[in-house]
């Protein structure tokens, strides 16, 4: 946390219009309801508009339309959540480790580590690894032979990066994620399985975030590719040869089977399952717990998640659904009878 | 494993009524069907009642109602599974490491580690960390700056705890779990994403168990809170700002989106998905693979999981379901015709 | 990668019929569309048959029936994917570490490590551990007391193996997987939970692959068992006392609840959830995102995954489905009216 910044400085730095005293100092962020003097808050979700009137924040980042209901100073923004993010980043700079290599780290002699990089304790770095400027490698990470990590990328503790994986600049990898494990390639032969060598790798673009315990498999032959500015939440599984387009965001617990391509600017909600060998076009939104088992060639919003009912009611629904085939036949039979009757009546 | 304990001792220590010879020694636990002499077993699930008659166990923990069918000595209990758990804990004491700090551990000089704590090999402990009495930190764990761990808490190997996370007393954290990674906070700005700083932390109460590879994200602004006696299975994802109420148990593979509150004494079965910004009241039970996409304000049992059918039959059901809208219209049309005909008949 | 091998050598070594020049050298694998001279490719999926005509590969592994459409040399195989796997394994031998123990590893004096084994940096090996011939233990792995690992098994970095777990020969364990964490055993007692000691272990057969961040819990009383040649993808959860039969393959993100038995030669697709205490017979196939909540006693293909629709359409379907009970009643009522009318008409 920094010691504080004036509203005037924030307005100038981020190009916002300030309503209020430019000399007021803020030194932290808070929710509208949790804020007190010294805190800056934001309004970006209509759901919280009713809380605005009673906020004790020193300043609120909001859209011009919400200005009237704001009791405090205001920083007027077209994209309040984005400008809030910038202000928060200014008040809470990312903790950075001191450059240098911790003595407990095991670094192969052929690895090239930038002098400005910080390599934490118990890190293992293999042969030929390239570590860019200002990179941070958290405690206990393992980077196998031939890995490269672009400038300003940060690895949290205990990340595993298999051989030859290439990671771009300004990425953030959370703890426990695994990049480049073997894809699930097995071939049946006389009743037993043979492992199919996975000879591709993983290529991660710039500005990518990868969540805790997320796994991205290396390609079977060609590479698995995560394009620039992709944002992956925790516990996502990305199969071999998947390609995820730039600016796509994927929430936690999603599974993407092998050789599927997801377009740019897509948003995939939590726990969605996507089958293999599909093409999902740009600007597709998939709602939570849905199953994508065919290619989606048109932008749009897709869903198949089933919301909970009372369990007893749900059991009845399921029982009825199992007979929907028969029910449809019964309706057709009734239609036939009615039609015949109507014909007679004429 | 201890060298054995007499049934009389068990009855006394746990307040159970013994039917049988108090001097019989038991030294291990077993299932009813797998038990032999020297083993103590239990009956807590009606499903296994038929196995009771043929058990070779030296003693069985059971309810008074099941006594008649029991061929062996019996320890009569109101809660046989709970009393079995106590007896098993007595026969199989938790393996404990010797107090002290392994020489390969890297401990910041400002950390305070109780003399009775055991810090395993390759552990990394940051600045200002507080480690309570008799805490065990398994090999390869990473505790970032400012973390605190209450007395008698045990971390299995390779647990990651991000900065400032607070963990209570008598907790058990299984391998690979990650506490305090950044929540999934991203803001759209001109077609690209900006990372929203996650400035809250995670607060874990007392007597909490956290399963292997489970992830609990730090709060965006305020904290993510896991109350006392919460039990989390493996591979659960807990989003930022979630609160889980005391005594709630959650099975494996559940995902909970950000800012949702789950009440006390809830039971969430495996692979349930819970959307964000919801309120789930106390004493809610959600059955497996369900989707909770609205707040649940009433205690009760909820479900939306769809049981498997034969695949060909399921395809027909899905095809019919897609036309349920039309089917409903057809039924309405038939009702109209029939009603009109009935009006004419009158 | 090796320096290359002739088609004649491949045909001889793997018992394939070669059509073409036996002296042509190949040194890599490629997809049909991505191949150039020097690459060997394969055709095993009808979907890619149209690509065959234009491939630039030096040779293609295919079935005799596809020979006519192949513009290049061909290696004729009954199981092209399996023979491709063998050829790829020959061109891309598994990277092997040098035998020996890295000086940063912490090995208990009572552990027995074969001289041909390779123990990576920062590894921790407990008391009484047995490491077989040519075993590879990746950086940062933790093997607790009493673990045994059979010959030629490879552990990627950062694998955790709890006490007493036994792993067979020729297995592959990917990064971040956890074997032998406590199963989710809790007993309710006066409104609070008691932890039930998990005194079994995990027994893994030969030729098993376990994916990244997959978790396999130790048994509550008896053992969790993974039989020979089982193939588990990433982020799978296997509960305590589960048994998975030989040659069964399970895709990513599957969850299997405690005490369930899965037969031999089963195939479980991604994100399937399987309830506890079930019996799944041999040769069962379960399609993706299905819920198995009853025992499956007949071989066959099962499903309950719901494919996505347009979200607005899906909302209508869900709303109608909620009234399927009423709809069925309305159809029955109509049938009653029609039947009565028909009776009158006669």
């Amino acid at each position: 946390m920094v010691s504080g910044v004036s509203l005037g400085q924030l307005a100038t730095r981020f190009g916002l219009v300030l309503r209020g005293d430019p000399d007021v100092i803020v030194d932290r962020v808070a929710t509208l309801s949790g804020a007190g003097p010294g805190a800056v808050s934001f309004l970006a979700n209509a759901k919280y508009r009713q809380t605005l009137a009673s906020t004790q924040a020193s300043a609120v980042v909001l859209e011009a339309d919400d200005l009237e209901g704001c009791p405090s100073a205001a920083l007027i923004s077209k994209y309040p959540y984005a400008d809030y993010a910038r202000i928060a980043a200014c008040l809470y700079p990312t903790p950075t480790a001191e450059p240098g290599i911790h003595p407990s780290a095991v670094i192969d002699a052929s690895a090239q580590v930038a002098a400005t990089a910080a390599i934490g304790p118990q890190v293992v770095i293999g042969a030929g690894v390239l570590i860019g400027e200002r990179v941070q490698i958290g405690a206990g990470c393992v980077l196998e032979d031939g890995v490269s990590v672009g400038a300003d990328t940060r690895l949290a503790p205990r990340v595993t990066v298999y051989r030859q994986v290439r990671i771009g600049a300004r990425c953030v990898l959370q703890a426990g994620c695994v990049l480049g494990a073997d894809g699930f390639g097995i071939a049946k032969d006389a009743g037993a399985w043979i492992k199919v060598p996975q000879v591709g790798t993983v290529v991660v673009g710039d500005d990518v975030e990868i969540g805790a315990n997320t796994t991205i498999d290396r390609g079977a032959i060609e590479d698995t590719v995560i394009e620039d500015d992709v944002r992956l939440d925790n516990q996502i599984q990305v199969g071999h040869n998947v390609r995820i387009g730039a600016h796509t965001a994927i929430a936690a617990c999603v599974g993407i089977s092998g050789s599927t391509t997801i377009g740019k600017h897509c948003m995939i909600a939590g726990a969605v399952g996507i089958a293999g060998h599909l093409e999902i076009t740009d600007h597709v939104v998939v709602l939570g717990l849905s199953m994508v088992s065919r290619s989606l060639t048109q932008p749009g919003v897709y869903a198949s998640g089933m919301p909970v009912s009372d369990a007893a009611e749900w059991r009845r629904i399921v029982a009825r659904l199992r007979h929907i085939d028969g029910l449809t036949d019964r309706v057709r039979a009734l239609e036939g009878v009615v039609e015949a009757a109507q014909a007679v009546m004429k």
Side-chain angles (χ1 to χ4, degrees), chain A residues 1-57:
Chain A
M1 212 153 59
V2 299
S3 59
V5 58
S6 74
L7 297 181
Q9 287 173 306
L10 290 177
T12 304
R13 187 179 313 178
F14 300 116
L16 305 172
V17 173
L18 170 67
R19 186 199 69 182
D21 179 354
D23 294 331
V24 166
I25 300 292
V26 290
D27 63 2
R28 64 189 185 283
V29 299
T31 58
L32 285 170
S33 60
V40 58
S41 190
F42 70 101
L43 175 61
N45 182 336
K47 214 168 153 176
Y48 294 104
R49 191 167 286 141
Q50 64 194 59
T51 326
L52 181 62
S54 60
T55 190
Q56 310 267 331

Side-chain angles (χ1 to χ4, degrees), chain A residues 175-213:
Chain A
C177 69
V178 176
L179 276 64
D182 284 347
F184 196 55
I186 52 175
K188 203 74 184 244
D189 184 63
W193 295 107
I194 299 178
K195 183 169 169 64
V196 180
Q198 303 291 299
V199 308
T201 187
V202 178
V203 179
V204 175
D206 297 332
D207 301 298
V208 170
E209 180 154 0
I210 299 175
N213 284 353

Side-chain angles (χ1 to χ4, degrees), chain A residues 165-168 171 179 202-206 208 210 216 224 226-227:
Chain A
V165 170
R166 302 195 298 276
I167 302 171
C171 295
L179 276 64
V202 178
V203 179
V204 175
D206 297 332
V208 170
I210 299 175
I216 305 178
T224 304
I226 313 295
E227 297 184 1

Side-chain angles (χ1 to χ4, degrees), chain A residues 150-176:
Chain A
D152 297 298
T153 283
R154 291 182 290 127
L155 275 64
R158 293 205 316 98
V159 167
T160 305
V161 188
Y162 279 63
R163 65 188 187 283
Q164 311 299 341
V165 170
R166 302 195 298 276
I167 302 171
R170 297 177 305 279
C171 295
V172 178
L173 277 66
Q174 302 290 347

Side-chain angles (χ1 to χ4, degrees), chain A residues 88-341:
Chain A
C90 152
L91 291 172
Y92 300 80
T94 304
T96 54
E98 287 294 301
I101 297 174
H102 193 277
S104 64
V106 175
I107 319 265
D108 189 274
S110 64
Q112 296 182 39
V113 179
T116 52
I119 311 297
Q122 319 285 19
V123 167
V124 177
I125 291 184
V129 170
L130 299 175
I131 304 287
E133 298 293 338
R134 296 168 304 279
V135 163
Q136 298 184 41
I137 308 288
C141 287
V142 178
L143 283 65
E144 294 191 338
D145 296 353
V147 165
S148 66
V149 182
D152 297 298
T153 283
R154 291 182 290 127
L155 275 64
R158 293 205 316 98
V159 167
T160 305
V161 188
Y162 279 63
R163 65 188 187 283
Q164 311 299 341
V165 170
R166 302 195 298 276
I167 302 171
R170 297 177 305 279
C171 295
V172 178
L173 277 66
Q174 302 290 347
C177 69
V178 176
L179 276 64
D182 284 347
F184 196 55
I186 52 175
K188 203 74 184 244
D189 184 63
W193 295 107
I194 299 178
K195 183 169 169 64
V196 180
Q198 303 291 299
V199 308
T201 187
V202 178
V203 179
V204 175
D206 297 332
D207 301 298
V208 170
E209 180 154 0
I210 299 175
N213 284 353
T214 281
T215 52
I216 305 178
D217 282 348
R218 65 192 311 107
I221 294 181
E222 297 174 346
D223 298 332
T224 304
V225 178
I226 313 295
E227 297 184 1
D228 293 347
D229 196 32
V230 165
R231 308 290 169 146
L232 302 180
D233 198 355
N234 296 352
Q235 298 200 41
I236 291 170
Q237 153 68 3
V238 180
H240 52 188
N241 301 101
V242 165
R243 173 179 282 266
I244 303 180
H247 312 297
T248 284
I250 303 186
C253 304
V254 167
I256 308 169
S257 302
S259 301
T260 281
T261 296
I262 298 180
K264 298 180 202 299
H265 297 286
C266 293
M267 295 180 66
I268 314 290
V272 166
I274 306 183
H277 297 272
L278 303 183
E279 303 273 334
I280 315 244
T281 193
D282 300 346
H283 295 285
V284 161
V285 175
V286 184
L287 303 184
L289 281 92
S290 300
M291 178 175 92
V292 182
S293 52
R294 61 180 169 94
S295 290
L296 300 176
T297 57
Q298 298 300 319
V301 183
Y302 298 87
S304 65
M306 183 69 68
V308 282
S309 304
D310 168 83
E313 189 193 329
W314 177 247
R315 270 193 294 274
R316 276 200 308 275
I317 291 173
V318 167
R320 294 301 200 189
L321 179 59
R322 286 196 186 291
H323 295 107
I324 194 172
D325 210 24
L327 185 66
T328 306
D329 291 345
R330 287 159 64 187
V331 169
R332 187 173 301 136
L334 282 168
E335 287 170 337
V337 170
V338 166
E339 226 171 278

